[in-house]
Amino acid sequence: MEGPAIAPREAAMSIRGLRKAFGGQPVYSGFDLDVRRGDILAIFGPNGCGKSTLINMAAGLLPVDGGTILYDGRDVRDVRVGYVFQNYREALFPWMRAADNIRYPMRRMGLPKREIEARVERLKAEFRVRFDLARYPYELSGGQQQLVSVMRALAVEPEVLFLDEPFSALDFETTLDLRALLQDVLKRLGVTTLLVSHDLEESIALADRLLMLTRRPTTVADDLAVPLAWPRTSATLSELDFVALKRRCLAVFEAAVAGRPVAA
Ligand SMILES: Nc1ncnc2c1ncn2[C@@H]1O[C@H](COP(=O)(O)OP(=O)(O)OP(=O)(O)O)[C@@H](O)[C@H]1O
């Protein structure tokens, strides 16, 4: 029997009653969140409100103190995840050539060599890579290294992708290039993505949905759909809908930083 023409977009990720504290100071105390399959969710909020903590727990890198984080009912250990760290300099294995960095998680998965090479070639084409992947990370620019990190994260064909400040260590030109490539690939693959960014414009430009957080103990200050057409280009940033969204987000952010309620 054939499946439905349009796949149902039920919750891919479901967080219920999440609790986390550091040194007795609560970061999350009873936090809930649902993320639909294929959505790009940007998480934005004041410094230290717990954005990295949230995606690290969701990615299974950090234990929760209480509550559940499930992916269609599955624990994160049973889900293929990709993770791109902020600091590309520390994220890649320096003793491995770029291509071997990308192959590494696929080798760990036990994929056949032929499949590994096919995926490397596919990623090279997807990201229009023109530099030599036989080089070592130190022989590549920052943007090229971060691109290799992104390719490595996608090589496992993740069900969920976590991006923690993926562009923050890059110059503006490289950021724009990598952002454009990434949105293109993510939208085509339809991979559920959680993005932490300190840049409000970037968060809006890349997201289907923007989650604004409060100061600790962290709650949701606002949860906005970003119904702007894809692809989003530099022209998108001056469109009226974009500017209106940004204005609203700024008001929410200022209220969150000041610890006061947001005006309706
Ligand atoms: N391993 C840890 N031990 C103790 N405190 C921690 C630890 N990790 C995070 N924290 C604290 O928990 C809070 C949330 O940290 P987190 O890095 O998640 O915030 P963030 O919103 O990502 O911050 P930023 O905007 O500065 O990147 C901060 O106050 C931080 O100091």
Side-chain angles (χ1 to χ4, degrees):
M1 200 177 93
E2 276 190 17
I6 299 173
R9 305 189 77 198
E10 71 266 37
M13 184 178 92
S14 179
I15 298 181
R16 288 292 175 273
L18 182 67
R19 286 190 295 108
K20 184 74 184 172
F22 292 111
Q25 297 291 316
V27 181
Y28 292 99
S29 45
F31 183 86
D32 299 335
L33 177 69
D34 286 308
V35 182
R36 295 188 311 176
R37 178 174 297 121
D39 261 8
I40 302 177
L41 175 78
I43 301 164
F44 193 80
N47 271 346
C49 74
K51 302 178 289 294
S52 298
T53 300
L54 181 64
I55 68 166
N56 288 341
M57 289 188 290
L61 300 176
L62 187 69
V64 304
D65 291 346
T68 54
I69 302 179
L70 295 173
Y71 297 84
D72 293 328
R74 291 171 295 156
D75 186 88
V76 67
R77 282 169 296 195
D78 302 320
V79 177
R80 276 193 320 279
V81 301
Y83 197 111
V84 177
F85 297 89
Q86 173 177 4
N87 193 344
Y88 57 83
R89 286 190 189 84
E90 287 166 16
L92 295 176
F93 298 123
W95 61 89
M96 283 185 196
R97 296 174 190 277
D100 286 327
N101 266 282
I102 298 167
R103 290 180 187 118
Y104 178 79
M106 296 189 278
R107 287 180 174 145
R108 292 211 41 166
M109 282 170 76
L111 291 181
K113 193 166 185 304
R114 180 189 288 244
E115 173 64 15
I116 292 176
E117 294 316 308
R119 288 194 190 183
V120 171
E121 285 310 310
R122 253 197 329 265
L123 284 163
K124 260 176 82 173
E126 296 261 24
F127 284 100
R128 294 170 230 143
V129 173
R130 284 189 249 289
F131 58 91
D132 185 3
L133 289 176
R135 290 194 192 160
Y136 287 93
Y138 73 88
E139 296 177 297
L140 302 174
S141 71
Q144 290 168 339
Q145 289 181 54
Q146 194 57 311
L147 183 54
V148 171
S149 290
V150 171
M151 290 165 74
R152 181 178 63 180
L154 289 172
V156 301
E157 298 188 344
E159 294 166 83
V160 192
L161 179 67
F162 299 95
L163 304 168
D164 192 359
E165 293 279 347
F167 312 115
S168 66
L170 304 177
D171 64 71
F172 190 56
E173 187 186 341
T174 311
T175 296
L176 288 184
D177 286 349
L178 193 49
R179 226 198 256 175
L181 275 173
L182 192 63
Q183 64 158 299
D184 199 36
V185 173
L186 293 183
K187 279 287 127 192
R188 221 145 12 92
L189 296 179
V191 53
T192 308
T193 302
L194 270 68
L195 162 79
V196 170
S197 168
H198 275 121
D199 184 322
L200 182 57
E201 278 202 344
E202 177 171 292
S203 300
I204 301 172
L206 276 176
D208 290 301
R209 177 180 164 201
L210 181 60
L211 192 72
M212 311 271 304
L213 299 178
T214 63
R215 278 199 184 288
R216 302 165 53 174
T218 307
T219 56
V220 174
D222 207 353
D223 187 349
L224 298 131
V226 184
L228 304 168
W230 299 92
R232 307 202 181 140
T233 63
S234 47
T236 307
L237 307 186
S238 50
E239 282 170 13
L240 287 180
D241 290 351
F242 184 93
V243 174
L245 255 172
K246 191 174 151 191
R247 190 178 306 126
R248 171 167 178 91
C249 293
L250 269 175
V252 171
F253 181 72
E254 281 168 358
V257 168
R260 59 179 157 79
V262 189

